[in-house]
Amino acid sequence: MKVLISVDMEGISGIVHSTETRPDGYDYARSRALMTAEANAVIAGVLDAEPTATVLVADAHGPFRNLLPEELDRRAHLVRGKPRPLGMLGGLDEDTDAVLLIGYHARSGGGPAVLAHTMNGEILDVRVAGRSMGETGLNAAMAGHLGVPVVLLSGDDAACAELLDLIPSAATVAVKQALGQGAAIALHPEEARERLRRAAAEAVTRRAQVSPLTLDGPIAVEVDLYSGSSVDLALLVPGVSRAGGGRTVAFTAGDFAEAYRLTLLLAQLSTIKPM
């Protein structure tokens, strides 16, 4: 058995503010430790249920260099650094049996939700076939394109609801209840880890009962961008055109893998500032 654990930071228990999630920010060192500890709890849960499983852990926050390699459970393989194929799902392939999304947050515009956003602050919304999707939906659909189910998600209650709206048979662990963009009622980190370990073991055990999220092509995608310069850069990409208002660009992909990669590219282009 092969499992991919994709770990973001905003949905880790105890984290509520953006300064806690940036390398130059207050308490980032503590956030890295909390993130690594939750990843270890999930690794332990997977291996409780499937002792011979191959476990890959994809660092999926910001620079993709947050998890503490020396503190990560030595039984797992760490996928670290960027750019890389499939972004937050680095390491995913057709041989993967299950994906677990840990420390995830709700999409931009969702809420109340802690640190809700989609990819970065420059993306206002991504709509796939007219349906708004954040990182949870995009990653679940990318995994589904390869026939792999997302069996577990942890984060705040809004992030959990986002996955269940897409995959009702998946499991979730709400490690905090959102009070707003920068406030929550959080579980003690040790309690969160205990729940995650139990949930991970159960989720991989019942993976056959969770259907992959599949979206048939061709797939129409619209992306709302914050700045006009981001729109201008996006229009340099073949197949991307203006749509609707001045902040919206659109394209049609042959399948979801193409849609996913092009959305990642637009997100990266949106971080480039004009000279």
Side-chain angles (χ1 to χ4, degrees), residues 184-195:
I185 301 171
L187 295 178
H188 188 281
E190 291 181 1
E191 176 65 22
R193 293 167 206 158
E194 290 177 7
R195 295 189 188 188

Side-chain angles (χ1 to χ4, degrees), residues 7-40:
V7 190
D8 205 347
M9 185 177 278
E10 288 89 351
I12 299 297
S13 182
I15 294 175
V16 296
H17 196 279
S18 61
T19 58
E20 298 173 320
T21 68
R22 298 196 305 263
D24 61 347
Y26 167 79
D27 249 2
Y28 173 67
R30 174 181 289 170
S31 297
R32 296 181 75 189
L34 291 171
M35 181 185 182
T36 305
E38 287 200 8
N40 282 339

Side-chain angles (χ1 to χ4, degrees), residues 44-206:
V46 169
L47 294 174
D48 287 343
E50 298 282 350
T52 62
T54 296
V55 180
L56 277 69
V57 179
D59 191 321
H61 173 72
F64 294 175
R65 291 181 285 108
N66 310 277
L67 291 167
L68 300 169
E70 67 276 16
E71 299 296 332
L72 196 69
D73 190 316
R74 64 185 298 168
R75 297 172 294 176
H77 304 274
L78 175 60
V79 184
R80 191 171 193 258
K82 67 190 312 183
R84 66 191 187 207
L86 300 184
M88 296 177 77
L89 295 178
L92 177 72
D93 59 24
E94 294 88 345
D95 295 328
T96 306
D97 295 288
V99 169
L100 295 81
L101 307 178
I102 304 303
Y104 269 56
H105 53 81
R107 63 180 175 81
S108 178
V114 178
L115 298 173
H117 66 279
T118 299
M119 297 184 172
N120 59 49
E122 300 296 320
I123 303 288
L124 299 176
D125 193 20
V126 176
R127 291 179 297 281
V128 179
R131 182 172 192 168
S132 181
M133 281 192 176
E135 291 157 39
T136 293
L138 294 170
N139 289 329
M142 183 62 237
H145 177 74
L146 297 179
V148 185
V150 171
V151 299
L152 174 68
L153 178 142
S154 72
D156 70 3
D157 51 329
C160 291
E162 204 166 294
L163 179 67
L164 292 176
D165 185 50
L166 296 165
I167 309 176
S169 56
T172 60
V173 176
V175 300
K176 52 194 170 188
Q177 176 187 349
L179 298 177
Q181 182 74 8
I185 301 171
L187 295 178
H188 188 281
E190 291 181 1
E191 176 65 22
R193 293 167 206 158
E194 290 177 7
R195 295 189 188 188
L196 285 168
R197 183 168 182 167
R198 292 193 299 267
E202 182 177 354
V204 297
T205 299
R206 59 182 298 274

